Amino acid sequence: MNIILLSLLGVIGFVLFLKYRPKSYESILIDKEEAINISTRHIKKLTNIDVSDWQPYCMYWYDRETVNRLHNLNMLNRLRTTLYKWGIIESWRIRFVSQNKSISIGINADKEIVFMHVDVRSQEMGTNEINIQSPLDVIKALTVNNSGIWSKVKSTGEGERKEDFSNIRTYWYILEEEELRMKISIQVQENVIIGILSDTEILTSNMGEIVKKEFGESALNLSGFIGSFIATIIGILLLIFTDNAVYLKTPIIITLFTIVGVLLTCKEDISMGIINSFDS
């Protein structure tokens, strides 16, 4: 009976997949080894640090929050080209690690830097050949080609932070295209770029509905997890305290079903956590 039920569920799941599967697109993600080599050259140029003999950890990266929101707004397919260029999809996040040093970098499909975090002592950085004195100098250092994203950003301001004698100067930029806006902040210390961060905004009047929907989905996911957990505990207690014969494999199977269900919903979080565990 169980075999028949599982087979029926499998057929139903396969039919639903064929009916609702997303459209397929040709990937423009660059090769992992190529991304590592490109990242090594970028880091050498911007920080004067040679990471060619450091241990690289790579993962495919996409901005899940932005992608999910665009999908809910039915804007994902229309803005897909922009998402490629901005590194929101089809990009790499690579972390180079050596002893107590770490450098993280994001590379989009056009081989441009879209993210960077340098965790290296300033005295370990050599003299950089790049002279950064203005927002334009930063853009020149990051520009790979004239059609890339760095050729389209606009400077919105700059400021300096001098606490702890760090002398970190921050440059702010904005990038707008179609119905998306990206705010970018770049940190420079001692003529070396040590950080590139960005925040993507969707220019739509329906964002309130999307936020409400996200809260609802989060509540449902949490309720489902709590319900499954309580049901599992109650099931095990019933098996233990009833007069029926209790077999060890029964509660184990029930628990495994719950664990597998939870792992399937947080797989991406686990992958991201493994790569970013160095920070912890």
Side-chain angles (χ1 to χ4, degrees), residues 73-134:
L73 291 167
N74 295 321
M75 299 166 60
L76 183 59
N77 293 334
R78 185 168 72 253
L79 301 176
R80 186 170 294 272
T81 301
T82 302
L83 299 180
Y84 284 141
K85 294 179 180 179
W86 290 13
I88 296 177
I89 58 176
E90 297 284 345
S91 65
W92 286 102
R93 284 288 169 93
I94 306 174
R95 184 187 298 279
F96 295 90
V97 178
S98 176
Q99 297 179 353
N100 294 324
K101 299 174 290 185
S102 170
I103 298 179
S104 301
I105 187 170
I107 301 294
N108 66 5
D110 289 333
K111 306 177 183 180
E112 294 180 302
I113 297 178
V114 292
F115 169 81
M116 191 173 183
H117 176 72
V118 177
D119 187 10
V120 178
R121 294 180 179 179
S122 58
Q123 57 264 32
E124 298 184 35
M125 301 179 187
T127 304
N128 202 334
E129 298 179 357
I130 302 174
N131 185 23
I132 299 177
Q133 300 294 333
S134 67

Side-chain angles (χ1 to χ4, degrees), residues 6 23 38 43 46 50 57 71 75 83 104 112 123 126-127 136 140 172 189 230 233 236 256 258 264-265:
L6 291 175
K23 297 179 180 180
I38 293 172
I43 293 173
L46 299 177
D50 185 8
Y57 296 91
H71 174 72
M75 299 166 60
L83 299 180
S104 301
E112 294 180 302
Q123 57 264 32
T127 304
L136 183 59
K140 288 181 179 179
W172 292 281
Q189 182 179 12
I230 294 175
I233 297 298
I236 294 174
L256 285 177
T258 304
L264 288 175
T265 60

Side-chain angles (χ1 to χ4, degrees), residues 69-278:
R69 288 181 173 181
L70 289 173
H71 174 72
N72 291 330
L73 291 167
N74 295 321
M75 299 166 60
L76 183 59
N77 293 334
R78 185 168 72 253
L79 301 176
R80 186 170 294 272
T81 301
T82 302
L83 299 180
Y84 284 141
K85 294 179 180 179
W86 290 13
I88 296 177
I89 58 176
E90 297 284 345
S91 65
W92 286 102
R93 284 288 169 93
I94 306 174
R95 184 187 298 279
F96 295 90
V97 178
S98 176
Q99 297 179 353
N100 294 324
K101 299 174 290 185
S102 170
I103 298 179
S104 301
I105 187 170
I107 301 294
N108 66 5
D110 289 333
K111 306 177 183 180
E112 294 180 302
I113 297 178
V114 292
F115 169 81
M116 191 173 183
H117 176 72
V118 177
D119 187 10
V120 178
R121 294 180 179 179
S122 58
Q123 57 264 32
E124 298 184 35
M125 301 179 187
T127 304
N128 202 334
E129 298 179 357
I130 302 174
N131 185 23
I132 299 177
Q133 300 294 333
S134 67
L136 183 59
D137 293 333
V138 177
I139 297 304
K140 288 181 179 179
L142 296 173
T143 300
V144 175
N145 56 72
N146 295 330
S147 61
I149 61 172
W150 295 112
S151 63
K152 300 177 182 179
V153 299
K154 299 178 181 178
S155 175
T156 58
E158 58 182 286
E160 191 168 3
R161 179 164 56 91
K162 295 184 178 181
E163 61 266 24
D164 300 328
F165 304 102
S166 57
N167 295 326
I168 296 176
R169 190 161 191 83
T170 303
Y171 298 88
W172 292 281
Y173 304 87
I174 193 169
L175 178 64
E176 289 185 318
E177 189 169 330
E178 298 183 54
E179 296 162 284
L180 292 175
R181 176 193 294 132
M182 178 179 285
K183 297 179 180 178
I184 304 171
S185 63
I186 300 177
Q187 295 179 324
V188 179
Q189 182 179 12
E190 302 297 337
N191 212 38
V192 172
I193 296 178
I194 61 172
I196 301 174
L197 300 174
S198 62
D199 182 32
T200 305
E201 297 179 354
I202 303 173
L203 307 179
T204 177
S205 58
N206 298 326
M207 186 55 65
E209 298 179 6
I210 297 301
V211 173
K212 290 180 181 178
K213 185 176 180 180
E214 289 177 347
F215 277 121
E217 291 177 350
S218 299
L220 289 174
N221 290 336
L222 182 60
S223 301
F225 168 72
I226 295 175
S228 300
F229 181 75
I230 294 175
T232 302
I233 297 298
I234 293 175
I236 294 174
L237 292 175
L238 288 175
L239 288 171
I240 292 175
F241 292 105
T242 56
D243 295 332
N244 296 329
V246 178
Y247 299 98
L248 180 61
K249 66 179 182 180
T250 303
I252 291 178
I253 291 174
I254 295 175
T255 305
L256 285 177
F257 271 119
T258 304
I259 293 175
V260 170
V262 172
L263 290 178
L264 288 175
T265 60
C266 60
K267 181 177 61 175
E268 296 295 337
D269 294 331
I270 293 174
S271 300
M272 186 73 74
I274 292 173
I275 297 300
N276 291 333
S277 61
F278 182 85

Side-chain angles (χ1 to χ4, degrees), residues 1-13 257:
M1 183 65 184
N2 291 335
I3 296 177
I4 296 176
L5 180 60
L6 291 175
S7 300
L8 182 61
L9 290 175
V11 172
I12 294 174
F257 271 119

Side-chain angles (χ1 to χ4, degrees), residues 61-75:
W61 190 89
Y62 69 101
D63 187 343
R64 182 171 58 182
E65 179 179 333
T66 301
V67 170
N68 288 346
R69 288 181 173 181
L70 289 173
H71 174 72
N72 291 330
L73 291 167
N74 295 321
M75 299 166 60

